[in-house]
Amino acid sequence: MGRTAQESGEPDGRAMGQELSLRVVLFHEAVAAHFGLNATEHKVLSLIAAEPGVSPGRLVDHTGLSNAAITKIVHRLAALGHVDRRKDRSDGRRYALSVTAEHRRDLARLFAPMAEAMNGLVDGMDDAERATVARWLSATVEILRRSTAELTRAQESADPSLPPGRQ
């Protein structure tokens, strides 16, 4: 019978995933703190950066957060100078959100050392290694996407009279 990765001393997928998750969360917590934000505000800001002109309603769809929560986050991001709100050209009742040029510059400066290190890492790999890493990352993202959807569905269908985590 074959030995597990842990028994053979080889990297264990579960442990690698946990370590990656921890380091990603801690990194983004540090970035958020740098900008005076909490993790949720930082991730909403990253969604706005990824889709200039995005509407608050689309952010609700992307995140699953309530309209009120997104409104509060957008107000705070705008007050801190990270986001511009402009009336939507096609519908004056709606807003189009974009990150400010100053925030983009600050973010690029903050991420530059890590981007350089990551580029060096990838440049040091051959095509087969890059393909393996890309396959692992793509599969990990899909597993996370499915797991998040399953947890969200379970939470939505849970007994509302029970406190979160007890359902």
Side-chain angles (χ1 to χ4, degrees):
M1 185 181 286
R3 297 184 313 165
T4 66
Q6 191 173 19
E7 291 169 339
S8 68
E10 295 174 15
D12 172 277
R14 183 176 153 272
M16 287 175 24
Q18 285 180 327
E19 182 70 13
L20 175 62
S21 175
L22 172 66
R23 297 301 160 197
V24 168
V25 168
L26 292 176
F27 176 77
H28 284 286
E29 284 284 347
V31 171
H34 175 84
F35 289 114
L37 306 173
N38 66 39
T40 303
E41 292 164 339
H42 169 59
K43 294 319 290 177
V44 168
L45 184 57
S46 71
L47 290 172
I48 296 168
E51 192 178 335
V54 67
S55 70
R58 185 133 167 88
L59 293 174
V60 168
D61 293 341
H62 276 309
T63 64
L65 296 172
S66 68
N67 282 319
I70 288 294
T71 297
K72 182 178 177 181
I73 290 169
V74 168
H75 283 309
R76 181 160 155 66
L77 293 173
L80 290 171
H82 299 300
V83 169
D84 283 328
R85 285 181 290 196
R86 295 214 162 81
K87 290 274 188 183
D88 188 300
R89 289 184 181 135
S90 62
D91 183 347
R93 298 168 296 173
R94 296 169 35 154
Y95 286 92
L97 307 170
S98 298
V99 297
T100 62
E102 182 180 355
H103 178 78
R104 279 196 189 281
R105 282 190 301 274
D106 289 346
L107 196 61
R109 200 170 26 253
L110 190 66
F111 274 81
M114 187 179 74
E116 186 177 325
M118 293 301 293
N119 285 337
L121 175 65
V122 172
D123 289 346
M125 294 177 181
D126 62 31
D127 290 345
E129 289 172 317
R130 282 190 200 110
T132 299
V133 170
R135 184 173 53 100
W136 186 83
L137 284 172
S138 295
T140 297
V141 167
E142 184 53 35
I143 290 166
L144 285 167
R145 187 176 288 125
R146 280 195 319 262
S147 297
T148 301
E150 289 169 11
L151 285 171
T152 301
R153 277 193 302 276
Q155 183 66 29
E156 289 170 350
S157 65
D159 183 346
S161 66
L162 295 174
R166 302 281 182 193
Q167 300 167 339

